[in-house]
């Protein structure tokens, strides 16, 4: 049982409208409406229909040694149906929760499509998880099955006691644990029937994904998405990326995080683009540049860290065929954008969204860009900036209207936090969804990221945006990464302190510190000046985001008057 013809037609009409208006953001926002669906299974109804007789590559995976795995749309459709039949034969049923802990390998995509077809609830997980992380997922995620690399099998030994019942274990490749017999071999799925027939229709509001957010300030939240919120909600992400049928799209991201589902799964396959993946154990900028050229990648999305590493190379020497370049995860510094534009004639387009949503704000193709701005609201979202009293403001917490008379509740917004009705109510009260991010809007409607609501601080009664100061710091040639937090001061309450990770070839000494102080002094207003600096490796979440909360906590506890410690320097 699949979607009605009208349901699929409404989804496709919404997609085609956005592609037709890919360079007309005003027209796209004015005319776009989320499709109203009664029953819809994205994998069965959209993907399988698009894949019928389609020999174009849906997925290209290049291994470290240069060998390639290429799967056509037709083959992905057939294999995912086969995997769905096999999983069903193992006893999994609609609503069962499946933890997926795989790298960028073909079975990941086959299994994700199969889970959608069967109505299973996926819990994407990075391979970097600790034992405690896995225990947390088994308990709060109520895991029913695990799909993991055989080499990681031993990491799951003894975890069943934290799940509601016995856990089905499925391994990709040889199993490296004494409990080998407890694991089903994914290779056996090739013997399953090749046609999957659902027994009940899929409602758009049924749960599909559970994400444990990376938690820069607190314990991971359990974000629940539905068969509509990500599969259909990523129409806004498709629009921001500017994807077209036939594109070769490379999103540099690891499985387990929402951005991987955004741009390595849903958005490209909504638009009929090829997903490109490079498997490498460590990041190599020259390998990435060579691959961009050799594989004729047309659209690239990468986190700021990747772009910062790429500009260390001579970009003009690499004749890429990119049409679109994007960045997401954290705001990108203007210095990086300018270097890429000078070398390739491309402007990196920023965008903003969360695990809880699809792309909300962005710079789509063809729009005038403003340095430092993450763009304007994307089709399907009405964005409000609210001050601490909940009043509209030019700077305030970025919120999404839930009761817009034309758009209604944004389809790309999560259903809620699966394990906390209280937390869901906190962020969705008063007719808005509160993102927890602070932003500013100019007269033309462009939105600039200020920081997390809990990162912004006051110094001498002035409001300080860490990101603004970090953007200046990163322009100094010695600075690879930086994080700014308040440091206690008896007179000013707090002063800006920078934790700095140095670029290769620079010494963590007083001369470097003085150079950075002087550099920022010339570029920042007096009240924003960096007053203290410490060379250090920055603490990060396993998704790579800086945990400023740890730095703030350490600074808050230091005695007064402050005395410079090891590797720390004070400006006069």
């Amino acid at each position: 049982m699949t979607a009605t013809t009208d349901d699929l037609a409404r989804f496709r009409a919404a997609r085609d409208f956005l592609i037709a208006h890919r360079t007309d953001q005003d027209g796209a926002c004015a005319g776009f409406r989320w499709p109203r669906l009664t029953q819809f299974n994205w994998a069965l109804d959209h993907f399988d229909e698009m894949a019928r007789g389609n020999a174009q590559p849906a997925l290209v995976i290049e291994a470290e040694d240069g060998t390639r795995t290429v799967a056509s749309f037709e083959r992905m459709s057939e294999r995912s149906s086969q995997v769905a039949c096999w999983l069903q034969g193992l006893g999994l049923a609609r609503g069962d929760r499946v933890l997926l802990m795989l790298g960028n390998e073909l079975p990941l995509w086959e299994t994700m499509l199969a889970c959608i077809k069967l109505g299973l609830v996926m819990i994407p997980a990075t391979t970097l998880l600790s034992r405690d992380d896995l225990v947390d997922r088994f308990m709060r995620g109520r895991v029913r099955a695990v799909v993991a690399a055989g080499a990681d099998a031993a990491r799951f030994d003894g975890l069943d006691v934290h799940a509601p019942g016995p856990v089905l274990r499925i391994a990709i490749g040889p199993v490296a644990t004494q409990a080998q017999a407890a694991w089903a071999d994914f290779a056996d799925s090739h013997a399953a029937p090749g046609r999957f027939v659902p027994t009940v229709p899929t409602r758009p509001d049924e749960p599909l994904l559970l994400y444990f957010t990376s938690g820069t300030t607190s314990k991971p939240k359990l974000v629940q998405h539905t068969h509509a919120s990500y599969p259909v909600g990523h129409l806004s992400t498709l629009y921001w990326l500017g994807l077209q049928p036939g594109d070769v799209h490379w999103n540099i991201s690891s499985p387990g995080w929402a951005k991987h589902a955004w741009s390595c799964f849903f958005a490209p396959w909504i638009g009929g683009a090829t997903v490109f993946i490079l498997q490498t154990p460590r990041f190599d900028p020259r390998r990435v540049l060579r691959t961009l050229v050799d594989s004729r990648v047309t659209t690239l999305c990468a986190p700021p860290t990747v772009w910062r590493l790429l500009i260390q190379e001579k970009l003009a020497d690499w004749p890429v065929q990119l049409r679109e370049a994007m960045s997401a995860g954290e705001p990108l510094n203007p210095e990086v954008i300018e270097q890429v534009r000078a070398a390739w004639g491309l402007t990196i387009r920023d965008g903003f969204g969360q695990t809880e949503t699809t792309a909300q704000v962005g710079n789509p193709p063809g729009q005038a860009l403003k340095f430092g701005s993450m763009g304007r609201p994307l089709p399907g979202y009405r964005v409000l900036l609210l001050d601490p009293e909940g009043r509209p403001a030019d700077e305030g917490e970025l919120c999404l209207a839930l009761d817009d008379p034309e758009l209604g509740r944004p389809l790309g917004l999560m259903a809620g936090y699966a394990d906390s009705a209280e937390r869901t109510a906190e962020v969705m009260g008063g007719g808005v969804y509160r993102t927890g991010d602070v932003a500013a809007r100019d007269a033309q409607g462009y939105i600039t990221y200020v920081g997390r609501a809990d990162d912004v601080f006051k110094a001498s009664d002035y409001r300080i945006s860490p990101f603004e100061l970090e953007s200046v710091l990163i322009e100094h040639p010695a600075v690879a990464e930086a994080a700014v937090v308040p440091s206690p001061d008896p007179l000013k309450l707090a002063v800006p302190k920078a934790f700095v990770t140095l670029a290769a070839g620079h010494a963590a000494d007083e001369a470097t510190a003085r150079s950075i102080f002087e550099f920022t002094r010339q570029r920042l207003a007096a009240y924003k000046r960096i007053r203290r600096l410490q060379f250090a490796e920055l603490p990060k979440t396993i998704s790579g985001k800086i945990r400023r909360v740890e730095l703030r906590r350490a600074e808050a506890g230091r005695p007064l008057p402050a005395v410079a410690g090891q590797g720390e320097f004070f400006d006069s």
Side-chain angles (χ1 to χ4, degrees), residues 381-422:
Y381 287 97
R382 185 163 74 89
V383 172
L384 308 171
L385 301 184
L386 302 180
D387 68 15
E389 285 71 46
R391 299 171 302 199
D394 291 331
E395 179 174 320
E397 184 176 4
L398 194 152
C399 301
L400 304 178
L402 301 181
D403 54 3
D404 185 89
E406 294 182 343
L407 297 174
R409 187 184 193 275
L411 196 59
L413 175 61
M414 66 173 178
Y417 296 115
D419 61 343
S420 180
E422 180 181 354

Side-chain angles (χ1 to χ4, degrees), residues 487-491 493 532 557-563:
S487 184
D489 182 86
L491 181 63
L493 179 64
R532 297 170 188 169
R558 70 184 301 166
L560 293 175
V563 177

Side-chain angles (χ1 to χ4, degrees), residues 305 308 474 479-483 499-503 537-538 540 544 546:
T305 301
R308 291 180 194 126
I474 204 73
V479 179
E481 287 188 299
F499 287 85
V500 170
T501 299
L502 290 172
E537 289 296 319
L538 303 181
K540 294 183 178 181
I546 298 170

Side-chain angles (χ1 to χ4, degrees), residues 338-510:
E338 187 52 51
Q339 289 196 40
V340 172
R341 183 156 63 184
W344 289 342
L346 285 172
T347 300
I348 302 173
R349 298 186 287 101
D350 216 345
F352 172 82
Q354 299 177 301
T355 302
E356 288 90 337
T357 71
T358 59
Q360 307 170 22
V361 176
N363 290 295
Q367 306 307 300
L369 305 184
K370 293 187 178 184
F371 267 144
S373 170
M374 57 191 184
R376 294 182 290 162
L378 292 168
Y381 287 97
R382 185 163 74 89
V383 172
L384 308 171
L385 301 184
L386 302 180
D387 68 15
E389 285 71 46
R391 299 171 302 199
D394 291 331
E395 179 174 320
E397 184 176 4
L398 194 152
C399 301
L400 304 178
L402 301 181
D403 54 3
D404 185 89
E406 294 182 343
L407 297 174
R409 187 184 193 275
L411 196 59
L413 175 61
M414 66 173 178
Y417 296 115
D419 61 343
S420 180
E422 180 181 354
R423 183 175 281 176
T424 301
E426 287 177 4
V427 300
M428 295 195 189
V432 298
Y433 163 69
R434 295 181 172 274
T435 65
D437 290 288
V438 177
R441 180 169 43 212
D442 68 11
Q444 287 75 45
Y446 283 80
I447 296 173
T448 298
Y449 185 83
V450 174
R452 288 295 295 173
D454 37 25
D455 284 340
V456 175
F457 62 93
K458 280 193 172 183
S460 294
D461 211 35
Y462 291 102
R463 203 156 179 267
I464 303 294
S465 162
F467 175 68
E468 182 182 359
L469 276 60
E470 292 161 8
S471 295
V472 173
L473 283 162
I474 204 73
E475 293 179 21
H476 190 286
V479 179
E481 287 188 299
V484 173
V485 300
S487 184
D489 182 86
L491 181 63
K492 301 177 179 180
L493 179 64
V495 294
K497 175 178 176 179
F499 287 85
V500 170
T501 299
L502 290 172
H506 294 273
D509 56 21
E510 184 173 359

Side-chain angles (χ1 to χ4, degrees), residues 299-366:
T299 57
L300 174 66
C301 187
T305 301
V306 167
W307 287 110
R308 291 180 194 126
L309 291 170
L310 288 179
I311 65 169
Q312 305 302 316
E313 304 295 327
K314 199 172 180 180
L315 296 184
D317 290 348
W318 301 90
V320 299
Q321 298 185 33
L322 290 173
R323 187 188 71 245
E324 310 292 350
M326 288 74 63
S327 179
E330 287 189 348
L332 194 61
N333 306 91
E335 172 71 12
V336 179
I337 297 172
E338 187 52 51
Q339 289 196 40
V340 172
R341 183 156 63 184
W344 289 342
L346 285 172
T347 300
I348 302 173
R349 298 186 287 101
D350 216 345
F352 172 82
Q354 299 177 301
T355 302
E356 288 90 337
T357 71
T358 59
Q360 307 170 22
V361 176
N363 290 295

Side-chain angles (χ1 to χ4, degrees), residues 99-165:
L99 187 143
L100 300 178
M101 197 177 86
L102 296 169
N104 275 319
E105 50 196 304
L106 180 60
L108 173 64
W109 279 264
E110 294 175 341
T111 305
M112 289 180 70
L113 284 170
C115 286
I116 298 174
K117 292 181 177 184
L118 191 52
L120 304 178
V121 180
M122 294 176 278
I123 303 177
T126 172
T127 56
L128 301 175
L129 294 179
S130 68
R131 177 79 174 184
D132 287 345
D133 293 328
L134 289 172
V135 168
D136 185 37
R137 279 148 179 77
F138 267 56
M139 290 177 63
R140 291 199 289 146
R142 302 182 62 80
V143 169
R144 168 70 177 85
V146 168
V147 183
D152 290 324
R155 297 172 62 185
F156 295 91
D157 289 350
L159 289 184
D160 281 26
V161 295
H162 303 290

Side-chain angles (χ1 to χ4, degrees), residues 197-266:
V197 180
T199 56
V200 295
T202 301
R203 298 191 323 273
D205 62 349
E206 288 184 52
L208 174 64
L209 286 154
L210 290 174
Y211 275 104
F212 284 71
T213 59
S214 53
T216 59
T217 60
S218 61
K219 187 177 180 179
K221 295 168 288 188
L222 188 46
V223 176
Q224 180 173 301
H225 280 285
T226 68
H227 277 267
S229 61
Y230 257 28
V232 182
H234 276 301
L235 285 166
S236 70
T237 308
L238 169 80
Y239 188 75
W240 165 55
L241 295 172
L243 297 177
Q244 300 180 77
D247 271 337
V248 177
H249 180 62
W250 187 5
N251 170 54
I252 299 179
S253 177
S254 299
W257 307 112
K259 188 58 172 67
H260 191 273
W262 277 38
S263 298
C264 293
F265 192 79
F266 288 114

